[in-house]
Amino acid sequence: MKKWIPFVAAGLYALYAPLPTWYTKHADKRALRQADGGKVMLTFDDGPDPRYTGRLLELLARYDVPASFFVTAEHALACPELIAEMKRRGHLIGFHSASHQNALLTAPWTVQKDFEKMKLAADYLGVPFRWYRPPWGHANLMTRYEIEHCGLRLVMWDVMCEDWQRSATPEVIAQKLLERVHRGAVICLHDSGGAQGAPEHTLGALEMALPKLLARGYEFVKVDGTMLS
């Protein structure tokens, strides 16, 4: 085996996944990373989850806070009633892949099928296929192509509270929210996945943090800039 082959392979892989991921996370000026007008965007990834998402919707309704849900197609198709409830309550629904695969380790044809599954799910559920957040913020060349091809708006974040971790208690998550949220923030939380029972802690944290954030004068909007409709 020629000694240069591993170096060529490593370079091609870097061009395919790590460099597009870096660009997506740090340099893509078209990606949504902050809210306009000093408002705050509350977003949730990985759901819907029948154990937690319905309770989250009730909590948001109690405080009249709009949110944006980045759902996986598989979870959304398994819980169409929760998607319908999100729509009924005026929240925004975007997509977070079909099955939460890592773009750093995903072949082009698999990425293409993933986007096809998302589009089919969106059509079936009556959800506009407009907003997309890649799992872990990772993107390869095919991810970038599909985002452009499908006319999707890429949505990232600038506040995360590590709510998926086993050690993330409600108090810890709430404290991080209160310390890290700023005007213009795009908050990323999770209503499914992570360590066992992690979304339960996220719910508890929001119970503590939301009234304090509202008392500080923060105004919440969806990622399209609108409030509850």
Side-chain angles (χ1 to χ4, degrees):
M1 179 175 175
K2 295 185 180 298
K3 293 183 179 180
W4 52 265
I5 291 178
F7 296 99
V8 172
L12 291 174
Y13 172 68
L15 290 172
Y16 174 68
L19 288 177
T21 288
W22 180 89
Y23 177 79
T24 299
K25 285 186 172 183
H26 304 291
D28 187 349
K29 296 189 186 317
R30 293 175 296 177
L32 190 154
R33 302 176 193 278
Q34 288 211 323
D36 292 333
K39 296 180 174 59
V40 174
M41 294 176 177
L42 184 59
T43 73
F44 296 92
D45 288 359
D46 295 355
D49 190 310
R51 297 167 295 177
Y52 308 110
T53 305
R55 293 162 58 198
L56 174 58
L57 292 172
E58 291 295 331
L59 173 61
L60 295 172
R62 195 186 319 153
Y63 293 105
D64 200 29
V65 169
S68 302
F69 290 86
F70 290 90
V71 303
T72 69
E74 288 184 354
H75 287 170
L77 290 170
C79 303
E81 71 285 352
L82 287 173
I83 298 297
E85 188 66 9
M86 290 175 191
K87 292 164 60 179
R88 187 185 73 80
R89 292 178 182 268
H91 300 293
L92 182 143
I93 301 170
F95 280 85
H96 190 52
S97 81
S99 56
H100 212 273
Q101 295 183 353
N102 190 336
L104 292 178
L105 306 170
T106 309
W109 51 88
T110 305
V111 174
Q112 187 177 39
K113 288 181 180 178
D114 196 76
F115 276 81
E116 289 173 356
K117 290 177 181 178
M118 282 189 283
K119 180 63 166 63
L120 289 171
D123 290 343
Y124 177 79
L125 295 165
V127 176
F129 191 45
R130 182 180 176 190
W131 306 92
Y132 178 71
R133 173 179 283 163
W136 300 285
H138 296 166
N140 56 45
L141 286 179
M142 183 56 76
T143 310
R144 299 290 314 181
Y145 169 80
E146 289 291 344
I147 290 170
E148 293 293 329
H149 178 71
C150 297
L152 298 173
R153 180 75 187 277
L154 182 65
V155 181
M156 302 302 283
W157 62 87
D158 71 342
V159 172
M160 194 172 280
C161 300
E162 296 79 40
D163 61 328
W164 65 87
Q165 294 179 348
R166 189 179 306 276
S167 60
T169 65
E171 292 77 14
V172 167
I173 299 167
Q175 186 62 35
K176 288 181 178 180
L177 275 170
L178 294 170
E179 290 175 353
R180 297 177 183 180
V181 171
H182 57 88
R183 299 197 181 277
V186 180
I187 306 166
C188 178
L189 296 170
H190 300 79
D191 60 323
S192 187
Q196 185 174 4
E200 186 77 43
H201 295 165
T202 300
L203 285 168
L206 288 170
E207 288 272 12
M208 291 183 272
L210 273 181
K212 294 180 180 179
L213 291 171
L214 291 168
R216 292 179 183 180
Y218 287 113
E219 184 178 359
F220 290 85
V221 295
K222 296 175 280 186
V223 297
D224 62 358
T226 65
M227 302 181 73
L228 286 178
S229 56

